[in-house]
Amino acid sequence: MQSEDTTLPFSPTNIYYLIGGLLIVFIASVFTQKPILRGTTLMLIVFLAGWLLTYQKTAINQSSHYTNLPQFTHYQAVIISNAETKPKTYKVEAEINAIKVDGKWQNSTGKTLLYFNRQESEKPQYGDVFLIKDMPREVEAPKNPEEFDYRRFMQYRGIYAHHFLWGQEYIKIGHEAPSKILEFSYKANQYADSVFKARIQTPNEYRVASAMVVGLRDDIDNDLLDAYSASGAIHVLSVSGMHVGILFLLLGWMLDWIKKRGRYGKQIFAAVVILLLWGYAVFTGLSSTVLRATVMFSIIQLAPVFNRQQNIYNTLAISALLLLCWNPYWLVDVGFQLSYLAIIGIVFLYPYLNQLATPNNLIFRSLWEGTCVCFSAQLFTFPLSVYYFHQFPTFFLIANPFVAFFSFAVLPAGLLLLMIAPIPVLSDIITFILKYSLVWLNKSVFFVEKLPFGTLKGFSMSIPEMLFLYATILLFILFFLRSEIKYLRVSLLIMSILFCLNITEDYFQSNQKALTFHFIPKKSGISIIDGKSATFIADTTLLNSKKIYDFHLKNYYDKHGVVNQNELVLNQYANKQGVTFLDFEGKRILWLQQKFNGNLQGNADYVLLSNNAVRELSPAFSKFQTGLIIVDDSNKRYVVENLKHQADSLHLNLISLYDTGAFSINE
C-alpha cells in the first residue's frame, strides 16, 4: 500500500541539532543584549519545534504503521469511534493493532475507516474487535477538477485507508474498549438519542435535538441541512463552541452564588464550572470542536481564581497552543479556523457595536445584543467561509438572533430532560418546552431559507483574494474606530486591486471554452463550458442527483464562474445504436453508450466508451482513426483492464478515467 508522502524532506535528527544550535545562539543573545537576534532565534526555535511535533504526530511516520509494513492477508482491528449510520452502511474508525504476514501475526498501528453492510451486520460498538480478511484500500485522491480532497482530509485525521465489508470478510472476536471514558461517552450518546426519539415524535425536531445537545447527526436529511446552511445557522447542527459557550454562561448565572460563600468561593466556583464543562464534553463524545471550546473556557475560568487580570487574546492564544500541541493538524481544520476567528471577531468588535444603541426594553436589548454578536462573528468569518464553501447566507442577521434565542432554551431543556426522563410529570413539562423551542427554531430557519436571494452561491475565491478581503475589513474597522483617513485610503487601494483582479478574471471566464469527461463512480457525464454557461450531459438518474452535483461538479463550475447551467438527457441525443456525436471547437467526439458489435468508420479526435459498449477494440477500431479512446467508470473493471491490454497491443491511445481522473479539453 502506498500513501501520499507526508514526511519531512530531511531527517528529524537534523532538526534536533538545528534547535540545539539555535538554543546556544539564543542564550548568547541574552548576554549580548541584542533583542532582534533573540526574538528571531526564539521564533525559529518555536517554528522548528512545531515542525518536529507535527512529524511525530503524523501517524504514517511510525515504523509500525501498517502502510510501512509488508502486504498482509488478514488484520485485527478495534473500533475506536461511534458508528455513523449511512443509507447502506455503518461507518466507523478502527485501529489496526495486528496484521498477518506470511502466516505470522505481528503488531502494527494505524487507523482505517470500516464500512459494514447494514443488511448483513449489527451496528458495531466502540471497543468491538474484528478479525478481517484482505487489506484496506488506500483512500483515493480527487478525480475531478476542483473536487473536495477527501484523501487529504482523512490524512489530517491520521486515516489513510478504508475497507468496505459485505459480510463474508470479517468476524467479531471480542470486545476491548481502548478508553473507558470514551466508552461511557458513546453509551451516553446512545441513551440521549433513545430519550429524544421516544419523547419527540416529529422527525425534524428530533433530528435537531439530537444534533444540538449531543452531536448525533446521522438522521439529518438534506432538506434540513440545506435550510440551516442557507440561513447561516449550520453551526447549530453540531455541538460546537456556541453550545459550550451557552452552557458556560448558564452555569455562571446559576452558580454565581458559590463565589460569595467562604474564603475559597471563587476556587470552588471555578472547579465546579470546569468539571461540569468537561462532563458535558465527555457526554458529547469528546469531539474536536467541543474539546477546543472546553479548553478555551476552562482557561478563561481559571484566570479569576489566581486574581489575574486576564487578556482574552492571550487566553485564546494559550488555548490554541495547547490544542495544537495535542493535535497540530487541527490548524488546518476548518472548524478550528472558523471558531477562533468568530471568537476574535466577537471579542474585538462586539463592545464597540453594542455601544451604538442601548434599548431599554429587555426583549429588544437581547435581540440587539444577539445581532451584534452574530454580525461580529460573521464579519470575521465570512471571507474564509466563502473561500471554503463558495456561498454566503444573505439574511444571517435575521436568522441568527432567533437561532441564538431558541438555542438558549433548547440546550438546557435538552440536558435537563436527559437527567429527569424517568420522572413522569416533570419530564413531560420539559419535553413540551424543548419540543416547541425546536419547532420555532426550525420555523425561523425555514422562513429565512425561503426568502428571495437567501443564499448567494457560486463564489470562487483564491487565497490572495481572501487575504486582501480580510485586510480591507480590518482597515475599515480601524478607520471607523480611530477616524484616521490613512486606513480608508489603504483599504480603498486594496479594494481597487480586488476590483481589477475580478474584472480580469471575469474577462477570461467570459471567453473560456472547455469540455470535461468527468469521473463519476459507475456513471458517465460530460460538461461543456462556454463562457459562463455550462451544459452537463448525463442520464436522468445522474441529472437528478444533488449529491453527485455537490461533490463532483459544484466546485468546478464555481471556479469557472458558471452562472447558467443546462442539463441534457443523454438518451435523447443518441441514435438507435446508442451513439452520440459531439463537436467541440472543431474537435469531433464520438460517444458509445450501448453494446456495439460493428466496425466504426471514419475518424474522431476522441472516443468515449460507456456501459461496456465495446469489449473488443479489434475489429471495431480497425478502420477508424482516433487520437484518444477514453473509458469511463460505467464500464466494469475487468472490461477496462482487458481494453487497456488490447490498446497496448494495437498501439492505440487509451486512458481509463478511474486511473487518470477527469480529462479536459481546453480552448
Side-chain angles (χ1 to χ4, degrees):
M1 180 182 296
Q2 296 180 347
S3 297
E4 184 179 290
D5 186 16
T6 57
T7 59
L8 292 177
F10 51 87
S11 170
T13 305
N14 295 330
I15 298 183
Y16 283 113
Y17 290 139
L18 191 54
I19 290 176
L22 288 169
L23 281 172
I24 295 172
V25 175
F26 176 74
I27 294 170
S29 68
V30 173
F31 294 102
T32 56
Q33 301 295 319
K34 293 183 177 180
I36 295 178
L37 178 61
R38 184 166 63 249
T40 303
T41 307
L42 185 60
M43 288 177 63
L44 286 172
I45 291 172
V46 172
F47 173 76
L48 290 173
W51 196 353
L52 189 61
L53 178 66
T54 303
Y55 179 87
Q56 293 172 341
K57 291 284 188 177
T58 301
I60 202 172
N61 290 331
Q62 299 175 11
S63 59
S64 60
H65 196 275
Y66 63 88
T67 58
N68 299 321
L69 298 176
Q71 290 193 348
F72 47 92
T73 57
H74 298 78
Y75 63 94
Q76 182 177 295
V78 57
I79 307 303
I80 58 171
S81 73
N82 214 353
E84 183 180 346
T85 304
K86 297 290 186 179
K88 296 182 180 179
T89 61
Y90 295 116
K91 174 185 172 184
V92 292
E93 293 182 16
E95 177 76 19
I96 298 178
N97 51 33
I99 62 173
K100 192 175 185 179
V101 181
D102 297 329
K104 296 181 180 179
W105 286 96
Q106 65 182 82
N107 294 332
S108 68
T109 59
K111 293 192 292 185
T112 185
L113 284 179
L114 297 179
Y115 294 86
F116 291 84
N117 184 358
R118 287 179 60 183
Q119 294 181 347
E120 300 290 337
S121 67
E122 296 180 353
K123 190 173 185 178
Q125 302 296 319
Y126 175 82
D128 285 350
V129 182
F130 290 92
L131 177 62
I132 303 172
K133 184 182 178 182
D134 296 329
M135 293 177 63
R137 186 163 54 91
E138 180 186 4
V139 178
E140 296 172 343
K143 294 188 176 182
N144 288 288
E146 308 304 325
E147 187 175 282
F148 173 67
D149 194 340
Y150 185 68
R151 179 173 69 171
R152 179 176 295 177
F153 173 75
M154 296 311 299
Q155 287 179 349
Y156 287 154
R157 297 174 59 183
I159 298 172
Y160 295 84
H162 55 184
H163 201 162
F164 290 83
L165 306 171
W166 303 111
Q168 306 300 322
E169 310 95 324
Y170 66 92
I171 183 173
K172 181 180 174 181
I173 59 174
H175 182 90
E176 187 177 345
S179 168
K180 294 297 181 183
I181 294 177
L182 277 176
E183 185 174 37
F184 168 78
S185 174
Y186 293 138
K187 287 182 178 178
N189 263 204
Q190 294 168 7
Y191 162 75
D193 186 57
S194 66
V195 170
F196 291 139
K197 187 174 289 186
R199 291 277 178 169
I200 304 174
Q201 305 300 324
T202 48
N204 280 347
E205 282 64 45
Y206 152 69
R207 292 163 182 159
V208 175
S210 195
M212 280 189 66
V213 181
V214 289
L216 293 173
R217 296 179 52 166
D218 294 1
D219 294 318
I220 294 180
D221 59 21
N222 289 331
D223 292 338
L224 188 63
L225 203 62
D226 290 344
Y228 274 81
S229 178
S231 61
I234 191 66
H235 56 280
V236 170
L237 295 182
S238 59
V239 178
S240 62
M242 185 194 80
H243 302 75
V244 179
I246 291 174
L247 184 61
F248 179 76
L249 293 174
L250 285 171
L251 291 174
W253 172 70
M254 293 171 59
L255 303 176
D256 188 63
W257 56 273
I258 297 178
K259 295 180 183 178
K260 303 170 185 177
R261 296 296 179 93
R263 180 179 176 184
Y264 298 104
K266 289 183 179 180
Q267 289 83 351
I268 295 172
F269 171 80
V272 171
V273 169
I274 291 172
L275 282 172
L276 290 173
L277 286 177
W278 279 99
Y280 177 63
V282 169
F283 194 79
T284 56
L286 290 171
S287 65
S288 58
T289 53
V290 174
L291 275 176
R292 292 194 291 262
T294 306
V295 168
M296 184 183 64
F297 284 113
S298 297
I299 294 174
I300 290 174
Q301 191 57 58
L302 282 173
V305 173
F306 300 102
N307 294 317
R308 294 274 183 172
Q309 183 178 0
Q310 63 176 316
N311 182 313
I312 189 62
Y313 299 107
N314 288 341
T315 300
L316 291 173
I318 291 170
S319 67
L321 182 61
L322 289 173
L323 290 165
L324 292 176
C325 285
W326 175 259
N327 185 353
Y329 285 102
W330 278 343
L331 184 62
V332 292
D333 185 272
V334 179
F336 182 92
Q337 297 169 7
L338 290 174
S339 61
Y340 272 93
L341 281 171
I343 294 169
I344 291 170
I346 293 169
V347 169
F348 179 70
L349 194 57
Y350 169 75
Y352 299 106
L353 293 177
N354 197 39
Q355 293 175 1
L356 297 177
T358 53
N360 294 322
N361 184 279
L362 178 61
I363 296 176
F364 285 112
R365 185 165 67 249
S366 299
L367 287 174
W368 169 249
E369 291 174 352
T371 302
C372 291
V373 168
C374 294
F375 180 79
S376 302
Q378 198 78 41
L379 185 64
F380 273 61
T381 57
F382 99 84
L384 193 64
S385 297
V386 170
Y387 172 75
Y388 280 122
F389 306 117
H390 310 282
Q391 65 180 30
F392 180 73
T394 314
F395 300 111
F396 71 91
L397 282 178
I398 297 175
N400 274 282
F402 292 99
V403 167
F405 177 80
F406 291 118
S407 296
F408 265 95
V410 169
L411 184 61
L415 290 174
L416 186 58
L417 177 61
L418 296 178
M419 291 186 285
I420 64 167
I423 305 175
V425 178
L426 189 56
S427 61
D428 292 339
I429 296 172
I430 299 302
T431 300
F432 178 84
I433 295 171
L434 175 62
K435 180 179 178 179
Y436 283 96
S437 297
L438 290 164
V439 167
W440 285 104
L441 172 62
N442 286 339
K443 281 186 176 181
S444 61
V445 167
F446 280 108
F447 171 77
V448 172
E449 183 213 14
K450 291 175 182 176
L451 293 174
F453 306 105
T455 307
L456 301 180
K457 299 181 179 181
F459 294 105
S460 180
M461 185 183 294
S462 65
I463 292 179
E465 288 175 325
M466 180 185 69
L467 295 176
F468 278 142
L469 188 54
Y470 267 117
T472 303
I473 291 170
L474 289 173
L475 288 166
F476 264 112
I477 292 172
L478 289 173
F479 168 70
F480 284 110
L481 294 181
R482 300 183 181 181
S483 300
E484 296 183 24
I485 195 67
K486 62 181 180 180
Y487 296 116
L488 182 60
R489 288 173 178 168
V490 178
S491 66
L492 291 175
L493 175 62
I494 295 175
M495 287 182 67
S496 300
I497 296 172
L498 273 173
F499 185 68
C500 292
L501 287 173
N502 276 278
I503 288 179
T504 304
E505 185 178 29
D506 185 76
Y507 172 77
F508 284 110
Q509 287 177 346
S510 298
N511 293 279
Q512 67 191 341
K513 294 182 184 297
L515 184 146
T516 298
F517 302 90
H518 289 283
F519 171 83
I520 299 172
K522 311 302 180 186
K523 296 289 184 179
S524 305
I526 290 179
S527 284
I528 300 174
I529 293 180
D530 186 1
K532 291 196 170 187
S533 297
T535 301
F536 184 54
I537 309 173
D539 62 35
T540 307
T541 305
L542 198 57
L543 294 177
N544 293 333
S545 174
K546 186 177 184 301
K547 183 178 179 180
I548 292 293
Y549 169 77
D550 287 343
F551 193 81
H552 297 292
L553 302 177
K554 182 179 183 300
N555 289 353
Y556 175 60
Y557 287 173
D558 290 346
K559 179 70 175 179
H560 286 269
V562 170
V563 293
N564 298 311
Q565 296 180 25
N566 304 301
E567 296 177 342
L568 296 181
V569 179
L570 179 59
N571 297 338
Q572 297 178 359
Y573 292 86
N575 61 22
K576 293 180 180 180
Q577 292 181 304
V579 180
T580 299
F581 295 95
L582 299 172
D583 185 84
F584 175 74
E585 299 299 306
K587 292 183 172 61
R588 181 179 169 86
I589 295 108
L590 179 67
W591 191 350
L592 303 180
Q593 302 140 36
Q594 63 187 45
K595 189 175 181 179
F596 185 86
N597 293 322
N599 296 336
L600 294 170
Q601 302 291 328
N603 63 78
D605 295 280
Y606 302 94
V607 175
L608 176 62
L609 304 181
S610 301
N611 303 317
N612 309 301
V614 174
R615 293 175 182 257
E616 299 293 334
L617 295 180
S618 177
F621 286 86
S622 59
K623 298 180 180 180
F624 189 83
Q625 294 184 347
T626 181
L628 181 65
I629 301 171
I630 302 168
V631 185
D632 65 26
D633 203 53
S634 65
N635 298 276
K636 294 186 182 299
R637 199 61 46 83
Y638 74 88
V639 173
V640 175
E641 292 302 318
N642 190 25
L643 290 174
K644 286 161 65 175
H645 290 305
Q646 293 179 47
D648 289 339
S649 62
L650 295 172
H651 304 291
L652 293 173
N653 236 349
L654 183 145
I655 62 169
S656 165
L657 296 184
Y658 179 82
D659 298 327
T660 65
F663 180 80
S664 295
I665 309 168
N666 296 294
E667 291 294 327

